[in-house]
Amino acid sequence: MTAASESARIDRGGQVRQGEELDAAAVTAWLQAQGIELHGTPKVTQYAGGASNWTYRLEYENRDLILRRPPSGTKAKSAHDMNREYAVQKALKPVYPAVANMVGLCRDETVIGCEFYVMDRIVGMIPRKNLPPGVTLTPEQTRRLCENVFDKLIELHRVDWKAAGLDKLGKGSGYCRRQIDGWCDRWEKARTWNVMRGADVMRWLKANTPDDVATCVIHNDWRLDNLVFDPADPTRVIGVLDWEMATLGDPLMELGTTLAYWSQADDDRFIKSMRRQPSHLPGMMTRREIVDYYCARTGLKPQNWTFYEVYGLFRLAVIIQQIYYRYHHQQTRNPAFKQFWLLANYLIWRSRKLMRQSRR
């Protein structure tokens, strides 16, 4: 592979969106006041990925940095807690090297109008809906990529969170029950007239909720577009991004939510229409193969895997419906959300199908 072809695989930011400009001079002055040596005026670009916090690249002559901040007008700081996101990664870095190196946390909102944190950029390839242009993998390479993705998740789940000082990251045992209660409540609040009630799915989840199989650090948004791959070896994971929802929780619950996003080659058109990652490529493991792979390497044995699968689908239905609720009530006019109610209904239907199959 030539240096040019390898460089073409590297994920880069684009033009800063109108209304989301960054005061780079103020950020530079703050960083220098923290003792960070910076040369020159930074080139500022913005990443399109991530619908929550805004992410910028500041490219100095001697340092390549990433800045994360909440969107403007944010009311609920708990949903965009820069301090928490920074602290989680700083604590994990010594024991989980795939985390970026944290550079600084600014809690002084007078600098750019909000809290923010800065980290070193992890240079690499990030798969979006498809692999980057020019990247082609054999089925054997794709299989290795898939295995590496879930090995990296297993590595996270094995982190000694007590030794890492992450005791306060979550509420401890009872995670499964809290999640079911919480997502059922969110569904009720986000329902619109054109969406199924889903009462049978919620009853089934509550009746089948197991005890936690373990407590570990979970990322809570484990997808290929939150991972960075080595541009010289696109099968190797070198970074994990977007720790906003990380917490202490049940590892099988995380696997269930991860597979709700996993579209495989033989899925129907609805699932394929929701695909956000190249999980359909020849060589990728199926959802069933991933569960078997994960359990074989962790020793965990779910008594009722269908529960975790239905939970993942229902959680995704709630997330999609919450977005649609905002469109339905004209809180956003993004036309991309117009048909989200259909997807929410589909996920409820698919949950019911799995529930029926589990009773056979």
Side-chain angles (χ1 to χ4, degrees):
M1 183 193 309
T2 65
S5 62
E6 183 176 322
S7 175
R9 299 176 169 187
I10 295 172
D11 193 71
R12 291 177 171 82
Q15 186 174 353
V16 176
R17 294 185 290 267
Q18 186 175 359
E20 299 180 12
E21 294 79 11
L22 181 71
D23 188 343
V27 172
T28 300
W30 180 84
L31 286 168
Q32 289 174 329
Q34 312 311 305
I36 308 300
E37 184 177 351
L38 300 171
H39 299 163
T41 301
K43 176 184 177 182
V44 180
T45 49
Q46 186 178 21
Y47 289 91
S52 183
N53 294 322
W54 294 350
T55 306
Y56 303 83
R57 178 185 177 189
L58 290 86
E59 190 177 1
Y60 294 91
E61 293 174 10
N62 67 321
R63 199 85 183 253
D64 201 352
L65 302 175
I66 298 293
L67 181 146
R68 292 263 289 171
R69 56 151 291 175
S72 62
T74 299
K75 302 297 182 184
K77 288 188 178 182
S78 60
H80 306 276
D81 191 336
M82 296 294 98
N83 180 51
R84 184 179 186 275
E85 193 172 330
Y86 176 88
V88 167
Q89 293 174 89
K90 192 170 181 65
L92 277 175
K93 179 63 177 178
V95 293
Y96 191 68
V99 173
N101 177 58
M102 297 296 105
V103 174
L105 168 71
C106 179
R107 307 197 68 176
D108 181 358
E109 296 188 9
T110 66
V111 177
I112 62 169
C114 63
E115 295 183 354
F116 65 89
Y117 73 88
V118 178
M119 59 187 177
D120 283 318
R121 175 176 175 240
I122 302 175
V123 180
M125 180 190 88
I126 300 177
R128 306 293 180 183
K129 184 175 182 178
N130 298 298
L131 293 174
V135 178
T136 56
L137 301 176
T138 66
E140 293 74 23
Q141 290 173 316
T142 302
R143 171 78 183 205
R144 186 160 67 248
L145 178 152
C146 190
E147 291 178 350
N148 289 342
V149 165
F150 288 96
D151 284 342
K152 191 60 67 175
L153 179 64
I154 292 168
E155 182 184 336
L156 174 65
H157 290 172
R158 287 175 172 165
V159 164
D160 186 337
W161 49 271
K162 292 181 180 178
L166 291 168
D167 308 59
K168 296 181 180 179
L169 183 59
K171 297 180 180 179
S173 62
Y175 178 83
C176 294
R177 179 64 58 187
R178 288 193 301 272
Q179 289 300 297
I180 297 305
D181 290 344
W183 288 105
C184 287
D185 181 62
R186 294 181 195 105
W187 175 260
E188 294 285 9
K189 291 177 178 177
R191 274 194 64 237
T192 48
W193 68 269
N194 50 355
V195 172
M196 302 178 196
R197 286 190 60 207
D200 54 338
V201 176
M202 292 187 285
R203 281 195 304 270
W204 187 91
L205 284 168
K206 290 180 179 180
N208 288 276
T209 304
D211 294 332
D212 299 356
V213 298
T215 298
C216 65
V217 177
I218 61 175
H219 179 273
N220 236 347
D221 198 15
W222 194 266
R223 301 194 315 265
L224 270 63
D225 58 356
N226 278 332
L227 305 179
V228 185
F229 293 81
D230 185 347
D233 177 8
T235 70
R236 190 170 75 91
V237 180
I238 60 173
V240 180
L241 308 174
D242 199 351
W243 292 85
E244 181 182 0
M245 296 191 291
T247 188
L248 296 179
D250 183 289
L252 293 181
M253 294 286 271
E254 166 134 84
L255 190 60
T257 62
T258 297
L259 295 188
Y261 289 97
W262 196 264
S263 172
Q264 58 196 49
D266 61 352
D267 278 332
D268 61 42
R269 64 184 181 88
F270 272 98
I271 302 178
K272 289 178 179 177
S273 73
M274 300 167 64
R275 182 173 64 80
R276 296 181 56 182
Q277 52 192 346
S279 55
H280 65 303
L281 295 176
M284 286 287 190
M285 288 188 278
T286 64
R287 289 182 290 271
R288 183 69 255 176
E289 288 173 331
I290 291 168
V291 174
D292 292 343
Y293 182 90
Y294 180 93
C295 291
R297 280 156 178 74
T298 61
L300 296 175
K301 297 178 180 179
Q303 293 184 341
N304 179 13
W305 171 253
T306 302
F307 165 81
Y308 301 99
E309 194 168 6
V310 172
Y311 159 68
L313 294 173
F314 179 70
R315 175 182 180 268
L316 182 55
V318 178
I319 293 170
I320 287 173
Q321 179 61 22
Q322 286 176 321
I323 296 170
Y324 176 73
Y325 180 92
R326 295 182 62 243
Y327 177 86
H328 184 80
H329 291 282
Q330 299 182 346
Q331 296 169 6
T332 176
R333 296 187 180 275
N334 188 334
F337 304 149
K338 184 177 182 179
Q339 303 299 328
F340 270 30
W341 67 277
L342 291 171
L343 298 178
N345 275 330
Y346 169 79
L347 290 167
I348 294 297
W349 173 85
R350 191 170 162 208
S351 297
R352 288 172 173 166
K353 182 179 179 181
L354 289 172
M355 289 157 49
R356 287 194 300 270
Q357 291 172 346
S358 72
R359 290 194 290 265
R360 293 174 184 171

